[in-house]
Amino acid sequence: MMGMTSWEVRAAEQGWRKGPWTPEEDKLLNEYVNLHGEGRWSSVAKSAGLNRSGKSCRLRWVNYLRPGLKKGQITPQEEGIIIELHALWGNKWSTIARYLPGRTDNEIKNYWRTHFKKREKSSHKQEKRKAQLLKQKQQQENMSRVSSHADTDKLLKVTDQENHENQQNTVTMHPSASTVEDHYSPVMHHHDNNTIASNWSSDQYCVVDEGLWGGLWNLDDHDPRNDHVDANHINKIITMQNQATGFTFGGDSNNFYNTGGYIF
DNA sequence: AAGCCGCGCAACCGCGCTCGT
DNA sequence: AACGAGCGCGGTTGCGCGGCT
């Protein structure tokens, strides 16, 4: 056990190899799946001569070895789709991944966390700052009702202005609206009249966060009622993307929808 | 040059669902 | 109907690397 990392120790204790895959392991898994197909992952591990759990094999195949996987950065078009679908479904990464050919749920999940969570953080910071200032003001009021509050007021005004400016770039999204378009449509509701999703700046995305409505949007993608709604909405997203960029994501949105995003 | 820090991403873990027996 | 194995999903962890001090 000397010189082993913590995961190596744990893996040794449980009998399975863990941690990063070697090229040799990749080769074994690749050859086996190409010959016998996907599924039966626990037997894949044994039959292919891999000392890996079935889970580990499946994950490696799905996220890394599977043919047709897109390598490289998420494009602005894909980012737009991720944002839209996340607003619609919340953290349903595998569902979202179905509409992004060649991308995995893991990849999308990581992308969201690294690119959008930090913006959420910065908006939380701003909230904290305002709360702190309010607290300060209240303390000052308590300590001396006679003294002037001009400086604090000024600070608060600046913060309010910052917030107001932020709201100008906020996408309206409210669950009490009556249709999907009313619920969430950046095209309809975007305040600064810039109606093309792909032209949004990264800062404009920042308030579309799960902290506000994400939890309310865990629609079941297998509910036929939602299928109807989703198909319409996704149709719109694709149209928007195409209009914005001239990039053709798919000629027929129904086909796009029905094939799980795989359009050839 | 060296240490520290934050980010990106691959991989693991726990839980819940499905399906076969 | 009950149970267990297999699988999929979402959340979390930890490593490697590049940038900063």
Side-chain angles (χ1 to χ4, degrees):
Chain A
M1 293 284 189
M2 283 263 285
M4 286 171 105
T5 64
S6 59
W7 63 260
E8 280 170 332
V9 172
R10 267 185 289 134
E13 280 165 359
Q14 286 167 20
W16 296 116
R17 218 188 98 72
K18 291 187 183 178
W21 281 64
T22 64
E24 290 75 30
E25 287 176 313
D26 280 347
K27 202 179 158 210
L28 283 172
L29 182 59
N30 220 343
E31 280 171 359
Y32 188 88
V33 176
N34 283 335
L35 271 173
H36 301 95
E38 296 181 43
R40 301 252 133 229
W41 291 109
S42 51
S43 56
V44 165
K46 288 175 208 148
S47 308
L50 287 160
N51 188 25
R52 294 273 184 177
S53 69
K55 257 185 151 176
S56 183
C57 291
R58 180 192 151 268
L59 202 72
R60 184 63 178 173
W61 175 259
V62 167
N63 287 335
Y64 200 81
L65 298 174
R66 186 160 52 100
L69 286 179
K70 252 191 209 172
K71 309 282 177 187
Q73 289 209 321
I74 302 273
T75 65
Q77 289 78 29
E78 288 171 321
E79 186 182 276
I81 291 168
I82 291 169
I83 290 158
E84 284 279 347
L85 296 185
H86 186 270
L88 207 57
W89 291 320
N91 296 356
K92 298 271 181 188
W93 304 118
S94 58
T95 309
I96 293 171
R98 278 180 222 146
Y99 299 95
L100 292 161
R103 300 295 186 188
T104 68
D105 53 353
N106 210 28
E107 200 176 2
I108 294 166
K109 183 172 60 182
N110 282 333
Y111 185 80
W112 181 268
R113 282 181 63 81
T114 54
H115 289 78
F116 297 101
K117 279 288 176 182
K118 59 185 172 190
R119 288 172 196 156
E120 199 177 290
K121 261 190 205 166
S122 68
S123 73
H124 280 168
K125 264 187 196 167
Q126 206 174 30
E127 283 297 310
K128 263 191 179 174
R129 192 185 162 198
K130 195 177 176 182
Q132 212 175 349
L133 287 168
L134 272 169
K135 206 177 166 186
Q136 255 179 15
K137 194 181 176 183
Q138 278 170 353
Q139 278 175 351
Q140 281 184 9
E141 277 173 0
N142 288 345
M143 282 170 74
S144 164
R145 290 182 182 279
V146 188
S147 63
S148 160
H149 299 148
D151 289 341
T152 317
D153 282 345
K154 214 179 199 175
L155 266 174
L156 280 169
K157 259 181 196 164
V158 169
T159 316
D160 281 343
Q161 199 181 342
E162 282 171 7
N163 281 346
H164 181 68
E165 278 166 11
N166 249 11
Q167 278 170 8
Q168 292 289 308
N169 292 330
T170 301
V171 172
T172 305
M173 184 170 54
H174 200 286
S176 66
S178 59
T179 66
V180 166
E181 287 84 347
D182 290 335
H183 275 315
Y184 177 65
S185 173
V187 175
M188 309 298 176
H189 295 157
H190 203 234
H191 291 302
D192 65 1
N193 294 329
N194 181 0
T195 57
I196 299 172
S198 294
N199 284 348
W200 299 348
S201 74
S202 51
D203 288 333
Q204 285 166 336
Y205 292 143
C206 70
V207 194
V208 186
D209 68 18
E210 57 185 351
L212 283 174
W213 305 114
L216 298 166
W217 283 95
N218 283 333
L219 300 177
D220 184 352
D221 51 310
H222 296 305
D223 184 335
R225 289 167 301 171
N226 291 337
D227 283 351
H228 166 72
V229 163
D230 296 342
N232 285 339
H233 194 68
I234 289 158
N235 192 1
K236 249 187 203 152
I237 296 165
I238 297 159
T239 309
M240 266 169 14
Q241 297 292 331
N242 290 346
Q243 281 174 349
T245 61
F247 171 83
T248 303
F249 208 96
D252 176 0
S253 63
N254 286 326
N255 188 31
F256 172 86
Y257 183 72
N258 292 333
T259 56
Y262 287 88
I263 292 174
F264 304 100

